[in-house]
Amino acid sequence: MTDINEQVKEEWKATTTGRERVKEILTETTEYTKASSIAKQALVSEPTTRKYLTELVDEGIGSTHQDGRTTLYKRNEGQRIDNRIKELRRTHSHRDLIAGIQEMNETLQEFRETYDVESPEDLAIELEPGDDGWNDLGKWRSTRQNLALAKAALQVDEAHRLAEA
């Protein structure tokens, strides 16, 4: 009987190209990583992976860092943010963005008042192991990040509206 993981790998290989698999792995890579590691995960030879990684970096999907003679790769966070802003503008009206920003600002204010600190970093310093606030810490950080993205989407939307006027 074939291992289920091997079946999934074989199906992935059969239904995607090597480049698609390298791109998928790269877009999930948040820490600088060797091409050999990406090749192994993408089920693609290392030389072919390097070729695709070079193309993907040239397209802005990935970024590189030199560690001596070794080139390391990870996803391009800037492009991920740009894509999220485009998605927000496409799926939310100007009015929806404003309402979402107001709601997130209120949520952040509630966190500040509940914990009597100004930021999730301040909360992390004050929390003891086992405190209930650890759950809110992640929510606070996520809300703050989502607020920044919504504000950026609103600003881009406003710039487009002004340019069209």
Side-chain angles (χ1 to χ4, degrees):
M1 180 172 221
T2 307
D3 181 344
I4 188 72
N5 292 328
E6 291 304 315
Q7 287 177 338
V8 170
K9 287 178 184 180
E10 289 306 314
E11 182 178 331
W12 190 39
K13 278 180 76 171
T15 60
T16 59
T17 66
R19 188 179 196 285
E20 290 170 334
R21 294 191 303 278
V22 170
K23 182 179 179 182
E24 184 175 332
I25 297 300
L26 180 63
T27 58
E28 295 172 1
T29 303
T30 59
E31 302 289 327
Y32 283 110
T33 305
K34 292 181 179 182
S36 59
S37 176
I38 293 171
K40 183 177 179 181
Q41 292 175 34
L43 310 173
V44 177
S45 73
E46 193 172 332
T48 302
T49 296
R50 286 184 192 285
K51 174 185 153 210
Y52 293 148
L53 287 170
T54 299
E55 292 172 2
L56 293 166
V57 167
D58 288 345
E59 293 171 19
I61 295 168
S63 62
T64 62
H65 173 74
Q66 286 300 128
D67 184 14
R69 293 179 43 194
T70 304
T71 303
L72 304 173
Y73 302 87
K74 72 173 189 168
R75 71 183 182 197
N76 179 345
E77 292 297 332
Q79 184 177 61
R80 189 180 68 81
I81 290 167
D82 291 346
N83 289 342
R84 181 67 179 128
I85 290 168
K86 286 178 190 172
E87 179 186 347
L88 284 171
R89 288 188 60 238
R90 183 176 47 77
T91 59
H92 294 77
S93 70
H94 193 81
R95 183 174 289 159
D96 290 342
L97 289 171
I98 291 171
I101 289 168
Q102 286 176 315
E103 184 178 316
M104 287 183 275
N105 275 323
E106 290 169 6
T107 300
L108 293 177
Q109 186 58 37
E110 289 171 13
F111 284 132
R112 285 186 205 99
E113 291 170 2
T114 298
Y115 295 103
D116 196 29
V117 294
E118 287 301 309
S119 71
E121 292 77 18
D122 293 341
L123 178 59
I125 291 169
E126 293 196 7
L127 288 174
E128 298 292 330
D131 284 352
D132 291 336
W134 290 107
N135 291 331
D136 283 342
L137 186 67
K139 292 175 189 171
W140 193 343
R141 286 181 174 149
S142 295
T143 302
R144 191 170 65 173
Q145 182 180 27
N146 289 337
L147 176 62
L149 290 168
K151 285 180 176 180
L154 184 65
Q155 289 176 330
V156 170
D157 192 56
E158 185 65 22
H160 280 272
R161 291 170 62 153
L162 292 171
E164 293 169 0

